[in-house]
Amino acid sequence: MLLDVRPKEEYDMAHIPGAISIPIEELEEKLAYLPSNCDVVAYCRGPYCLMSVEAVELLKTKARRLRSVARKAENLMSTKVSDSTSISNHPEWLQSYLVSPEKQHQLYRKTLFIVIISQIFGGAGLAAGITVGALLAQNMLGTDSFSGVPAALFTLGSAGAALFVGHLSQRFGRRSGLATGFLIGGLGAIGVVISALTNNILLLMFSLLIYGAGTATNLQTRYAGTDLAAPTQRATAISIAMVSTTFGAVAGPNLVNVMGKFAESIGVPALAGPFILAAAAYIVAGLILLALLRPDPLVVAKALAEALSSTPSHPDHSTGNTASFNKKGVIIGATVMVLTQVIMIAIMTMTPVHMGHHGHGLKSVGLVIGFHIGAMYIPSLLTGILVDKVGRKAMAIASAVTLLLAGITAAIAPADSLLVLIIALSLLGLGWNFGLISGTALILDSTTLNSSYAILSLGGGFVALLLIPVVLSSRNLNNNNKG
């Protein structure tokens, strides 16, 4: 028997295949449950850790044949993995991660840090553009009858990009897929600025389509943090990435006025100013991932899952250290994500236009959207903990109730009341937050490593496609209001 006496959290992050977790502080009370007809091998953190030595002293009271491998944990890991899979088929750098839980944990933490940095910039790019996209189209077209078209275009672009980025990531790793997606989104934002300068409607439409790649990539980047996370840490890992998005996402809408003035100072229409910020933010996010996301966490996670699935003594022998495919769980998770996204986009994209009709300026629009996006991301860390502790389905129900309250509040809000609009959009963001994290966790729990990313990518594309009729319907609503 192989016994891991480290704290449970460290075992969940990485452990030797086949090891059983009994933290050192629980060992004495669980001695009676250990088998007496086999050798017991205790290990902990390495040569300077005394937990396995203490474990041996405790276990000697049972007169077992024991040995401490505190000084040989990495060698034992190498032996176990070598027996179960041909690691020689992998590059030398990858083999070093397969045999070292410590290096796996270090890579997990490094990946989360890089994701956090890229999400700050990605959030700014996402929020800056969506705040004024409808207003820019309305200004260039001279009518608000087609004010829903920009959202339809960048959601359509997001759909295609979700599939494209997902395919690239599955084939070449997250680094290639995510960096490419952000860079394409940055080019789209530059195109929007040029279209505003030249008053070219066709270029605006095409650029908004490409700009959607940044939106899709921003959503998919956070999943990089789950590659090397334990099942009980997945929602928390996603939420950490989402919290970091807050810094950029809240700053973006509140820089609308600043970027508008900057744009005018260089001869660019004020409404194109936020897209200058979006272009810079997306490109920086892409370059960060391209330069720093090494080694690729998805490549390491796939190789580790392959090694664990080849270990007969490992509890996850037939599943690659992941849950088996659960169709029901996937359907529930996808439904939660789709519905929360549709409801959020339907209300959020029309709020700036609604506010413009009732005399609110860009500053007020930026304030409302800023609160909305803050509510989408700031609670994420707490939401992740709740999803892991309270349960995925319970938080999905909480999402539905919160979105209902948001819809009722928005419907009864006086048109001139900025405070009530802020409350309604904040509830909308919070409901979206609950739904996205709980839905994503449901999908990750119900799929294997090889299928989860593809399903999330397809789900992202499907969500975006569903939004098109929602936002296009704004034309009919506006025409009815005028009538």
Side-chain angles (χ1 to χ4, degrees), residues 219 222-223 238 242 333 336-338 340-341 376-377 380 383 387 395-396 399 403 429-443 456 463:
L219 289 170
R222 65 198 59 161
Y223 302 132
I238 294 170
M242 288 183 66
V336 171
M337 292 178 67
V338 167
T340 54
Q341 186 81 347
M376 289 171 65
Y377 296 105
S380 296
T383 303
V387 170
M395 291 306 295
S399 170
L403 289 171
L430 184 62
W432 176 88
N433 178 275
F434 290 168
L436 182 70
I437 295 180
S438 60
T440 302
L442 280 166
I443 291 177
L456 287 167
V463 166

Coordinates of all heavy atoms in Angstrom, one line a residue, residues 219 222-223 238 242 333 336-338 340-341 376-377 380 383 387 395-396 399 403 429-443 456 463:
L219 N -13.4 34.2 -22.9 CA -14.1 33.2 -22.2 C -13.4 31.9 -22.0 O -13.5 31.3 -21.0 CB -15.5 33.0 -22.8 CG -16.5 34.2 -22.7 CD1 -17.7 33.9 -23.6 CD2 -17.0 34.4 -21.3
R222 N -9.9 31.2 -19.4 CA -10.0 30.8 -18.0 C -10.0 29.3 -17.8 O -9.6 28.8 -16.7 CB -11.3 31.4 -17.3 CG -12.6 30.9 -17.9 CD -13.7 31.8 -17.5 NE -13.5 33.1 -18.1 CZ -14.5 34.0 -18.3 NH1 -15.7 33.7 -17.9 NH2 -14.2 35.2 -18.7
Y223 N -10.3 28.6 -18.8 CA -10.3 27.1 -18.6 C -8.9 26.5 -18.6 O -8.7 25.4 -18.2 CB -11.1 26.4 -19.8 CG -12.5 26.9 -19.8 CD1 -13.1 27.3 -21.1 CD2 -13.3 27.0 -18.7 CE1 -14.4 27.8 -21.1 CE2 -14.6 27.5 -18.8 CZ -15.2 27.9 -20.0 OH -16.5 28.3 -20.0
I238 N -11.6 28.4 -12.0 CA -12.3 29.2 -13.0 C -12.6 30.6 -12.4 O -12.5 31.7 -13.0 CB -13.6 28.6 -13.5 CG1 -13.3 27.3 -14.3 CG2 -14.4 29.5 -14.3 CD1 -14.5 26.4 -14.5
M242 N -11.8 34.5 -13.4 CA -12.9 35.5 -13.6 C -12.7 36.8 -12.8 O -13.0 37.9 -13.2 CB -14.2 34.8 -13.4 CG -14.6 33.8 -14.5 SD -16.2 33.1 -14.2 CE -17.3 34.6 -14.4
G333 N -25.5 21.2 -17.8 CA -24.5 22.3 -17.8 C -24.6 23.2 -19.0 O -24.5 24.5 -18.8
V336 N -27.7 25.4 -18.7 CA -27.5 26.5 -17.8 C -26.7 27.7 -18.4 O -27.1 28.9 -18.3 CB -26.8 26.0 -16.5 CG1 -26.4 27.2 -15.6 CG2 -27.7 25.1 -15.7
M337 N -25.6 27.3 -19.1 CA -24.8 28.3 -19.7 C -25.5 29.0 -20.8 O -25.4 30.3 -21.0 CB -23.5 27.6 -20.3 CG -22.6 27.1 -19.2 SD -21.1 26.3 -19.9 CE -20.3 27.7 -20.7
V338 N -26.2 28.3 -21.7 CA -26.9 28.9 -22.8 C -28.0 29.9 -22.3 O -28.1 31.1 -22.8 CB -27.6 27.8 -23.7 CG1 -28.6 28.5 -24.7 CG2 -26.5 27.1 -24.5
T340 N -28.4 31.4 -19.4 CA -27.9 32.6 -18.6 C -27.3 33.6 -19.6 O -27.4 34.8 -19.5 CB -26.9 32.2 -17.6 OG1 -25.8 31.4 -18.2 CG2 -27.5 31.4 -16.5
Q341 N -26.6 33.1 -20.6 CA -25.9 33.9 -21.6 C -27.0 34.7 -22.5 O -26.9 35.9 -22.7 CB -25.0 33.1 -22.5 CG -24.2 33.9 -23.5 CD -23.0 34.5 -22.9 OE1 -22.8 34.5 -21.7 NE2 -22.1 35.1 -23.7
M376 N -20.6 40.8 -12.8 CA -20.3 39.6 -13.6 C -19.1 38.9 -13.1 O -19.0 37.6 -13.1 CB -20.1 39.9 -15.1 CG -21.4 40.3 -15.8 SD -21.1 40.9 -17.5 CE -20.5 39.4 -18.3
Y377 N -18.1 39.6 -12.6 CA -16.8 39.0 -12.3 C -16.3 39.1 -10.8 O -15.7 38.2 -10.3 CB -15.7 39.7 -13.2 CG -15.9 39.4 -14.6 CD1 -16.4 40.4 -15.5 CD2 -15.7 38.2 -15.2 CE1 -16.7 40.2 -16.8 CE2 -15.9 37.9 -16.5 CZ -16.4 38.9 -17.3 OH -16.6 38.7 -18.7
S380 N -16.8 36.3 -8.3 CA -16.4 35.0 -8.9 C -15.7 34.0 -7.9 O -16.0 32.8 -7.8 CB -15.5 35.1 -10.1 OG -16.2 35.8 -11.1
T383 N -18.2 32.7 -5.6 CA -19.1 31.8 -6.3 C -18.4 30.5 -6.6 O -19.0 29.4 -6.4 CB -19.4 32.4 -7.7 OG1 -20.1 33.7 -7.5 CG2 -20.4 31.5 -8.5
V387 N -19.8 27.0 -5.4 CA -20.1 25.9 -6.4 C -19.4 24.6 -6.0 O -20.0 23.5 -6.1 CB -19.7 26.3 -7.8 CG1 -19.7 25.1 -8.8 CG2 -20.6 27.4 -8.3
M395 N -26.4 26.1 -7.2 CA -25.9 27.5 -7.6 C -26.6 27.8 -9.0 O -26.8 28.9 -9.3 CB -24.4 27.5 -7.7 CG -23.7 27.5 -6.4 SD -24.3 28.8 -5.2 CE -23.8 30.3 -6.1
A396 N -26.9 26.7 -9.8 CA -27.6 27.0 -11.0 C -29.0 27.5 -10.8 O -29.5 28.4 -11.5 CB -27.7 25.7 -11.9
S399 N -28.8 31.0 -9.8 CA -28.7 31.8 -11.0 C -30.0 32.2 -11.6 O -30.3 33.3 -12.0 CB -27.8 31.1 -12.1 OG -27.8 31.7 -13.3
L403 N -31.5 36.0 -12.0 CA -31.8 36.6 -13.3 C -33.3 37.0 -13.4 O -33.6 38.0 -14.1 CB -31.5 35.5 -14.4 CG -30.0 35.3 -14.7 CD1 -29.8 34.1 -15.6 CD2 -29.3 36.5 -15.2
G429 N -25.7 40.8 -13.9 CA -24.4 40.3 -14.0 C -24.1 39.2 -12.9 O -23.4 38.2 -13.2
L430 N -24.7 39.3 -11.8 CA -24.5 38.3 -10.7 C -25.2 37.0 -11.1 O -24.6 35.9 -10.9 CB -25.2 38.8 -9.4 CG -25.0 37.9 -8.2 CD1 -23.5 37.7 -7.8 CD2 -25.8 38.5 -7.0
G431 N -26.4 37.0 -11.7 CA -27.0 35.8 -12.2 C -26.2 35.1 -13.2 O -26.1 33.9 -13.2
W432 N -25.7 35.9 -14.1 CA -24.8 35.3 -15.2 C -23.6 34.7 -14.5 O -23.2 33.6 -15.0 CB -24.3 36.5 -16.1 CG -23.4 36.0 -17.2 CD1 -23.7 35.5 -18.4 CD2 -21.9 36.1 -17.1 NE1 -22.5 35.3 -19.1 CE2 -21.4 35.6 -18.3 CE3 -21.0 36.5 -16.1 CZ2 -20.1 35.5 -18.6 CZ3 -19.7 36.4 -16.4 CH2 -19.2 35.9 -17.6
N433 N -23.0 35.3 -13.5 CA -21.8 34.7 -12.8 C -22.1 33.4 -12.2 O -21.4 32.4 -12.4 CB -21.4 35.7 -11.8 CG -20.2 35.2 -11.0 OD1 -20.4 34.5 -10.0 ND2 -19.0 35.6 -11.3
F434 N -23.3 33.3 -11.5 CA -23.7 32.0 -10.9 C -23.9 30.9 -12.0 O -23.4 29.8 -11.8 CB -25.0 32.2 -10.2 CG -24.9 33.0 -8.9 CD1 -26.1 33.4 -8.3 CD2 -23.7 33.3 -8.3 CE1 -26.0 34.2 -7.1 CE2 -23.6 34.1 -7.2 CZ -24.8 34.5 -6.6
G435 N -24.5 31.3 -13.1 CA -24.8 30.3 -14.1 C -23.6 29.9 -14.9 O -23.5 28.7 -15.2
L436 N -22.7 30.8 -15.2 CA -21.5 30.4 -16.0 C -20.6 29.5 -15.2 O -20.2 28.4 -15.7 CB -20.7 31.6 -16.4 CG -19.5 31.3 -17.3 CD1 -19.9 30.9 -18.7 CD2 -18.6 32.5 -17.4
I437 N -20.3 29.8 -14.0 CA -19.4 29.0 -13.2 C -20.0 27.6 -12.9 O -19.4 26.6 -13.0 CB -19.0 29.7 -11.9 CG1 -18.2 31.0 -12.3 CG2 -18.1 28.8 -11.0 CD1 -17.7 31.8 -11.1
S438 N -21.3 27.6 -12.5 CA -21.9 26.3 -12.1 C -22.1 25.5 -13.4 O -21.9 24.2 -13.4 CB -23.3 26.5 -11.5 OG -24.2 27.3 -12.3
G439 N -22.5 26.1 -14.5 CA -22.7 25.3 -15.8 C -21.4 24.7 -16.3 O -21.3 23.6 -16.7
T440 N -20.3 25.6 -16.2 CA -19.0 25.1 -16.6 C -18.5 23.9 -15.8 O -18.0 22.9 -16.3 CB -18.0 26.2 -16.6 OG1 -18.4 27.3 -17.4 CG2 -16.6 25.8 -17.1
A441 N -18.7 24.1 -14.5 CA -18.3 23.0 -13.5 C -19.0 21.7 -13.8 O -18.4 20.6 -13.8 CB -18.5 23.4 -12.1
L442 N -20.3 21.8 -14.1 CA -21.1 20.6 -14.5 C -20.5 19.9 -15.7 O -20.5 18.7 -15.8 CB -22.6 21.0 -14.7 CG -23.4 21.2 -13.5 CD1 -24.7 21.9 -13.8 CD2 -23.7 19.9 -12.8
I443 N -20.2 20.7 -16.7 CA -19.6 20.1 -18.0 C -18.3 19.5 -17.7 O -18.0 18.4 -18.1 CB -19.5 21.2 -19.1 CG1 -20.9 21.6 -19.5 CG2 -18.7 20.7 -20.3 CD1 -20.9 22.7 -20.6
L456 N -16.9 22.5 -24.5 CA -17.0 23.9 -24.1 C -16.9 24.8 -25.3 O -17.5 25.8 -25.3 CB -15.9 24.2 -23.0 CG -16.1 23.6 -21.6 CD1 -14.9 23.7 -20.8 CD2 -17.3 24.3 -21.0
V463 N -23.9 29.0 -28.0 CA -24.5 30.1 -27.3 C -24.5 31.3 -28.1 O -25.5 32.0 -28.2 CB -23.7 30.3 -26.0 CG1 -24.1 31.7 -25.4 CG2 -24.0 29.2 -25.0

